């Protein structure tokens, strides 16, 4: 009886080991899909909750759209293709950041140009309004004070004592 119990236990252990191995192999894949889905949902505005990212929209429609995104990613569709398909369906307003082409390129370049231009104006103003440091050669030499001022200084010092 003991010998018949061992093969059953061994088969059960083998089944558990195989199941654990399959789960371990599937875990990185599902983690990648979850990570990619989260990234896609964070790059898109919700068409159902104005002013909110898709990842933050609590509506049932947004949840269905998130499930569709995960299904497409699980089916092997690349992130960029999923985003392109949703933008085609809902329009450019779906993108959280403007596209770096056409008028959207202006939204990327203009803030940087304003910062650089503002910094250049501040630097130019500081250079123009800088107070020059006193130079050693600008000091009045003692000989130039004159004998009259020297005599007056001596009188005033004597009067103080």
């Amino acid at each position: 009886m003991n010998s018949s119990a061992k093969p059953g236990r061994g088969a059960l252990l083998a089944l558990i080991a195989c199941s654990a191995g399959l789960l371990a192999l599937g875990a990185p894949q599902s983690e990648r899909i979850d990570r990619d889905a989260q990234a896609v949902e964070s790059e898109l505005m919700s068409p159902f909750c104005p002013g909110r990212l898709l990842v933050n929209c609590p509506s049932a429609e947004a949840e269905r759209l998130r499930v569709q995104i995960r299904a497409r990613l699980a089916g092997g569709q690349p992130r960029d293709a999923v985003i392109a398909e949703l933008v085609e369906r809902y329009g450019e307003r779906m993108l959280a950041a403007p596209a770096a082409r056409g008028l959207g390129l202006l939204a990327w370049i203009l803030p940087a140009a304003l910062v650089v231009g503002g910094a250049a104006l501040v630097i130019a103003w500081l250079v123009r309004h800088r107070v020059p440091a006193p130079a050693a050669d600008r000091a009045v030499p003692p000989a130039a004070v004159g004998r009259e001022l020297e005599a007056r200084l001596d009188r005033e010092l004597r009067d103080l004592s």
Side-chain angles (χ1 to χ4, degrees):
M1 272 189 160
N2 245 353
S3 63
S4 66
K6 281 187 180 178
R9 204 176 332 165
L12 180 63
L13 288 176
L15 181 63
I16 291 172
C18 287
S19 298
L22 288 174
L23 285 175
L25 289 175
Q29 177 71 12
S30 68
E31 288 174 12
R32 184 190 58 79
I33 291 169
D34 287 343
R35 189 175 53 249
D36 286 351
Q38 186 84 15
V40 168
E41 294 162 11
S42 296
E43 293 177 26
L44 299 174
M45 298 302 292
S46 173
F48 312 108
C49 298
R52 286 187 155 187
L53 291 172
L54 183 59
V55 72
N56 297 327
C57 182
S59 74
E61 293 88 1
E63 181 57 34
R64 281 193 289 275
L65 188 55
R66 287 191 290 265
V67 168
Q68 290 174 9
I69 289 170
R70 287 187 192 316
R72 287 189 178 117
L73 291 171
Q77 195 172 1
R79 282 177 41 185
D80 293 341
V82 172
I83 291 172
E85 183 180 317
L86 291 170
V87 167
E88 187 177 315
R89 186 187 320 167
Y90 294 102
E92 291 281 327
R93 71 184 192 307
M94 183 87 176
L95 294 173
R101 66 180 191 285
L103 198 55
L105 186 60
L106 187 63
W108 287 99
I109 292 175
L110 188 61
L114 288 174
V115 168
V116 169
L121 286 174
V122 168
I123 290 170
W125 186 86
L126 288 173
V127 166
R128 182 175 296 155
H129 291 90
R130 140 184 98 124
V131 176
D137 60 341
R138 289 189 191 168
V140 178
V145 171
R147 295 194 186 279
E148 188 178 312
L149 285 175
E150 196 173 322
R152 181 177 165 197
L153 183 61
D154 286 340
R155 277 193 313 271
E156 288 182 12
L157 285 173
R158 246 181 291 135
D159 290 345
L160 285 174
S161 4

